[in-house]
Amino acid sequence: MNGLVVLKIGGSIITDKSSSTPKSLADAIERIAQEIAGVSGSLILVHGAGSFGHPLARQFKLTEQFDVQGIIETHRSVKSLNTMVVDALTLSGVPAVPVHPLSCALLEQGRIRDMQMAPLREMVQRGLVPVLHGDVVMDSARGAAILSGDQLVPYIAQKMGAERIGIGSNIDGVLDNQSKTIPDITPSTVDRLRVYISGSSHTDVTGGMLGKVQELVELADKFGISSRIFNASTPGNITRFLKGETMGTRIQKDK
Ligand code: IPE
């Protein structure tokens, strides 16, 4: 889909991730909504769960066992965060609609096996902005499992033929061993950079930066979809990303 952008906003930006109970950051949610409203174009937004998802997933041991009450409470909680994000976007004039992964995706051993893409395609074609989120999702092998927004983004981008991906977290991009941002990564440079990237993985809570980078490098290489990992807690950076400006780390195909 020509010009489509898939943007993930990490749970650490829109919630207080250090809190053991759900705590949203209303000012950040409003700022993000306004930045998105300020730039036109086709967009699919994915947001993380932060303190609305991780503590409940841990409490009910959802990565280890099937728990009906855990599914209900965790989904209910992440859905309430999604409602806040969609409401803020709506108030800012963005035609946002909620899309809950629990209702349209199926996992197998924690990986997306199937997901309904036709409604997303129609939404985007008609100018709507689907807003998805990290969720608890049915799993054909385990009963249910946690689906991170980090897995949703490359999957959706590939299925929809997106042009660009943005990963907005609270770090300035992919950092080297001196905590400096690596500006560009391509399939031919990733091997050389691997040792530095794994060194900075402690800053990432959902499975490590290296895994994320590798997945994005593969997407660039195979499908020509470029991505940018940037600091979305810095005001103005989402606007910059949407406008295609340079900041953070860009991952793209070799020229
Ligand atoms: C996690 O989603 C989903 C649940 C814990 C239910 P993410 O992995 O996308 O969330 P963040 O960005 O780490 O908060």
Side-chain angles (χ1 to χ4, degrees):
M1 211 170 266
N2 229 346
L4 175 67
V5 172
V6 181
L7 172 63
K8 180 186 176 194
I9 302 293
S12 58
I13 310 292
I14 54 173
T15 77
D16 177 356
K17 218 168 163 172
S18 67
S19 170
S20 58
T21 54
K23 197 168 166 206
S24 63
L25 299 176
D27 289 353
I29 294 175
E30 199 185 312
R31 171 182 63 79
I32 289 164
Q34 282 168 3
E35 289 196 39
I36 289 171
V39 186
S40 59
S42 297
L43 176 69
I44 294 178
L45 188 68
V46 178
H47 65 79
S51 56
F52 285 68
H54 292 284
L56 282 164
R58 211 170 299 127
Q59 183 189 326
F60 289 101
K61 300 190 173 64
L62 291 183
T63 53
E64 296 152 43
Q65 61 181 39
F66 181 78
D67 186 301
V68 169
Q69 199 59 27
I71 294 169
I72 292 169
E73 288 194 29
T74 306
H75 178 66
R76 191 161 174 261
S77 178
V78 293
K79 198 174 77 174
S80 72
L81 177 65
N82 179 256
T83 302
M84 290 178 212
V85 174
V86 170
D87 284 354
L89 287 163
T90 307
L91 284 173
S92 299
V94 177
V97 282
V99 176
H100 306 300
L102 172 64
S103 317
C104 61
L106 176 67
L107 309 181
E108 187 173 339
Q109 295 292 7
R111 301 297 299 175
I112 301 172
R113 187 176 113 178
D114 194 27
M115 184 168 171
Q116 282 185 36
M117 300 310 293
L120 284 182
R121 217 164 272 132
E122 286 300 323
M123 288 170 188
V124 171
Q125 255 157 18
R126 303 272 177 182
L128 294 169
V129 174
V131 185
L132 298 94
H133 53 92
D135 202 353
V136 56
V137 173
M138 301 314 288
D139 186 302
S140 59
R142 298 186 204 160
I146 297 298
L147 172 61
S148 167
D150 293 343
Q151 193 190 146
L152 273 170
V153 168
Y155 184 90
I156 292 173
Q158 186 201 322
K159 292 278 180 192
M160 299 282 291
E163 188 185 281
R164 292 189 295 135
I165 288 174
I167 308 284
S169 70
N170 58 1
I171 47 167
D172 288 336
V174 182
L175 308 179
D176 66 15
N177 55 347
Q178 264 137 56
S179 294
K180 269 179 55 193
T181 305
I182 301 170
D184 275 293
I185 299 174
T186 69
S188 68
T189 61
V190 71
D191 283 338
R192 186 167 53 79
L193 296 168
R194 200 177 302 269
V195 46
Y196 303 123
I197 300 169
S198 53
S200 65
S201 66
H202 65 276
T203 50
D204 189 78
V205 290
T206 47
M209 184 59 92
L210 185 60
K212 208 181 284 187
V213 167
Q214 260 161 347
E215 201 162 8
L216 295 173
V217 165
E218 205 179 299
L219 217 56
D221 202 23
K222 280 197 192 147
F223 304 100
I225 304 169
S226 68
S227 40
R228 193 174 283 285
I229 300 176
F230 66 95
N231 195 333
S233 62
T234 306
N237 269 1
I238 292 171
T239 304
R240 278 183 207 112
F241 164 73
L242 292 172
K243 287 184 170 170
E245 290 175 18
T246 301
M247 77 182 138
T249 300
R250 180 171 56 179
I251 297 166
Q252 62 175 358
K253 214 177 159 128
D254 290 289
K255 288 260 162 59

